Structure formats: C-alpha cells, structure tokens
Amino acid sequence: QVQLVESGGGLVQPGGSLRLSCAASGSIFSIAAMNWYRQALGKQRELVATIASGGRTNYADSVKGRFTVSRDNAKNTVYLQMNSLKPEDTAVYYCNAHRVVVGVGVDYWGQGTQVTVSS
C-alpha cells in the first residue's frame, strides 16, 4: 500500500504561482512513476505531469513551460510548481503513484487539493 497526502492548493490570481506537494509513505520502493492529474468541474480527469523513477519528466501541452514537476527523495515528496496560472487551470489536483509489483501495475491516489485561479 502507498499513502499519498497532498497540500498546497488554494486561491490565486491569474498570473500567480502555487506549489503543490505530495508526500508518499508506505510501500514506495516499487513506484515506477509519480503523476499529477487534475479534474475541472464537469470535465474528465487529465494527466498534467509525470516524473518517472529515473527522473524523466513529461507534461501536458497545456502546461508546458509553466509547470514543473520535481521530487525530493529524502522526503519522499513530489512537487508541482505552477507558474503563470490561468483561470483554465482551476481544478482539483490529484497526486497519483503508479506502482509495479511482479509485472502488475497498481495506482494509488491522494485526496485531491483544490486550485482556483480567479481575480
């Protein structure tokens, strides 16, 4: 089992910044990738950013150049730095851990944190 606890959401004006954190605990040794998803009201959940166990990162086109995913292995924490925020970034952001054990993938989710971009 993997437990994920997110923090850092809130209300920010357009053009502002926020940093989300996701602290992982439990069986983290076999996590293949950590992901950030978001879900806006009335829309499907979408993948925003990924950081693989080897450090490779990937981003949705809509956030490239504005968002940065990183991790602190000593703290078992993944971050999502969000800059130049836009109203369309408003959503609940979820941390996800994709764990692979004996060839079987299992996903774990945090509780979500609300990000609202509004003036």
Side-chain angles (χ1 to χ4, degrees):
Q1 293 288 330
V2 175
Q3 294 79 43
L4 303 172
V5 179
E6 299 138 345
S7 60
L11 173 64
V12 63
Q13 292 187 342
S17 298
L18 280 176
R19 189 178 79 158
L20 305 183
S21 300
C22 174
S25 61
S27 302
I28 63 174
F29 53 89
S30 53
I31 291 177
M34 294 291 294
N35 307 293
W36 286 99
Y37 285 77
R38 68 185 180 187
Q39 187 167 18
L41 195 63
K43 295 188 177 181
Q44 289 189 332
R45 191 172 295 190
E46 63 171 343
L47 179 61
V48 174
T50 294
I51 183 162
S53 57
R56 181 170 53 89
T57 59
N58 197 29
Y59 300 92
D61 288 343
S62 58
V63 306
K64 278 181 182 176
R66 300 188 299 121
F67 290 12
T68 302
V69 59
S70 62
R71 67 186 184 196
D72 184 334
N73 290 333
K75 296 182 179 180
N76 295 328
T77 299
V78 174
Y79 304 97
L80 185 67
Q81 178 67 44
M82 305 185 294
N83 299 328
S84 302
L85 283 161
K86 305 175 181 180
E88 51 263 43
D89 294 317
T90 296
V92 178
Y93 284 71
Y94 296 91
C95 179
N96 163 271
H98 184 71
R99 183 170 172 241
V100 179
V101 180
V102 197
V104 178
V106 181
D107 286 299
Y108 300 88
W109 296 90
Q111 80 282 4
T113 185
Q114 176 71 46
V115 171
T116 302
V117 185
S118 175
S119 55

